[in-house]
Amino acid sequence: SSAREYIREVADKMEIPYFFNALYEGGLADHYTFCVSATPEQNVYPMLHHLFSLYGAKCYIIAADYNYGVLTTEFTKDFIEKAGGAVAGVEFFSVQKTSFDTTISNIKRVQPDILISFCVSNNQNTFYEQWYKDGIPGLPVVSTIGIGLSYLHRRSPPPTVSNTYFMSSFIEELDTPAARTFTQKLKKRYDIPYIEFDAETAYTAVYLYKNAVEKAGSSDTEKVIQALESGEVSFDGPGGHVTMRGEDHHTRRDEILFRVNEEHHIEKVQ
């Protein structure tokens, strides 16, 4: 998100369309920017709504101390309160932080129903190992980035991140014809450990631009933007059917709720 803001300045000065393909905090409005991945309204709110009915609605939030973590936390706090839940605590971490003893003690003291993580860096990902050793056994963890982007279920031994929930349109394990084909092609061409969900949005963005140019009959910036704002530019790809919403420059897309089980296999929940 921090990098996006610098890139956006350049795109605006050059007056060219900018496709931002990473999961982010939402709220961006820019004539030249089109956000392809999910926002909290798509990948956090529905998940919490489902989990509240299973576990309760007392939440503790840990997050990266920059755009994504701070703003996603604010939006999530608002949702929790409107849904009748409670925020038992919030902590923000620098990207360098690697020791979480105090945080784990704080969480154990308030005994939340759900732990919500908007941590992002490799350093912050060490929280999950420490939580498994010293945290509350079985407490459901929501992690927007830890599995689908950082693939901690592959990088850590079971059951370190078991009972972790996340939402995404695509992960390497997604068993649909389009997803399987995408995964097989990438694995054949590149030596990569895991195909993250950002791969789908980057791939989809190329086709959304292509289809917008074809609809516009031109690569002229304003004509392409007009096509993208028509609501008629879509792509059927590895993450399903994706349509650019003209009114807010974000996509309409299907999201799947996933859970990591004791063996670190991914289960489709809803």
Side-chain angles (χ1 to χ4, degrees):
S1 295
S2 299
R4 178 198 66 235
E5 291 307 293
Y6 286 104
I7 297 168
R8 196 159 62 87
E9 287 183 18
V10 176
D12 287 355
K13 288 178 181 177
M14 295 180 67
E15 298 184 346
I16 56 172
Y18 170 39
F19 286 79
F20 178 61
N21 306 323
L23 175 154
Y24 93 114
E25 63 275 4
L28 182 63
D30 185 298
H31 180 65
Y32 297 103
T33 301
F34 295 84
C35 301
V36 179
S37 192
T39 69
E41 290 153 304
Q42 294 166 306
N43 76 330
V44 177
Y45 298 176
M47 174 164 43
L48 291 180
H49 178 77
H50 180 80
L51 296 183
F52 286 173
S53 64
L54 297 179
Y55 298 105
K58 183 180 179 182
C59 304
Y60 200 102
I61 302 174
I62 58 175
D65 191 12
Y66 86 116
N67 302 40
Y68 174 71
V70 173
L71 293 174
T72 303
T73 295
E74 290 304 308
F75 289 137
T76 300
K77 284 167 57 181
D78 182 65
F79 173 81
I80 292 169
E81 290 163 4
K82 287 178 178 175
V87 179
V90 176
E91 293 189 39
F92 295 105
F93 307 140
S94 70
V95 294
Q96 293 83 19
K97 187 174 177 64
T98 57
S99 177
F100 299 94
D101 292 345
T102 301
T103 295
I104 291 172
S105 295
N106 292 340
I107 297 169
K108 291 169 74 173
R109 188 182 69 254
V110 300
Q111 292 289 305
D113 300 315
I114 299 170
L115 174 60
I116 302 171
S117 170
F118 301 128
C119 294
V120 299
S121 67
N122 285 330
N123 286 336
Q124 291 173 4
N125 282 337
T126 62
F127 167 84
Y128 301 101
E129 296 175 9
Q130 296 171 46
W131 175 254
Y132 170 67
K133 292 177 182 177
D134 300 318
I136 304 171
L139 187 76
V141 177
V142 165
S143 179
T144 51
I145 287 175
I147 307 301
L149 193 62
S150 297
Y151 55 99
L152 295 178
H153 64 304
R154 298 281 186 91
R155 296 163 62 187
S156 55
T160 306
V161 293
S162 63
N163 212 30
T164 297
Y165 291 84
F166 67 102
M167 290 190 79
S168 181
S169 297
F170 171 85
I171 51 171
E172 182 178 300
E173 294 88 347
L174 184 61
D175 191 22
T176 65
R180 285 198 304 271
T181 298
F182 182 66
T183 296
Q184 289 164 4
K185 285 183 176 180
L186 283 182
K187 290 285 188 179
K188 184 177 180 180
R189 182 172 296 187
Y190 304 108
D191 181 20
I192 45 179
Y194 188 78
I195 303 172
E196 304 162 342
F197 55 60
D198 276 357
E200 177 270 318
T201 52
Y203 185 80
T204 295
V206 174
Y207 280 92
L208 290 174
Y209 175 70
K210 170 184 179 291
N211 294 343
V213 170
E214 291 176 350
K215 178 175 175 57
S218 169
S219 61
D220 173 78
T221 291
E222 292 306 320
K223 290 180 180 178
V224 169
I225 290 175
Q226 186 176 9
L228 289 165
E229 290 182 340
S230 70
E232 298 174 0
V233 174
S234 301
F235 175 61
D236 290 301
H241 187 72
V242 179
T243 301
M244 183 58 66
R245 287 166 47 106
E247 62 268 34
D248 54 26
H249 291 202
H250 289 64
T251 54
R252 182 169 64 251
R253 53 168 58 247
D254 290 336
E255 290 282 303
I256 303 167
L257 175 58
F258 295 102
R259 175 184 176 271
V260 181
N261 68 19
E262 292 288 317
E263 291 77 37
H264 278 195
H265 297 149
I266 303 292
E267 301 173 344
K268 186 187 293 186
V269 178
Q270 190 179 49

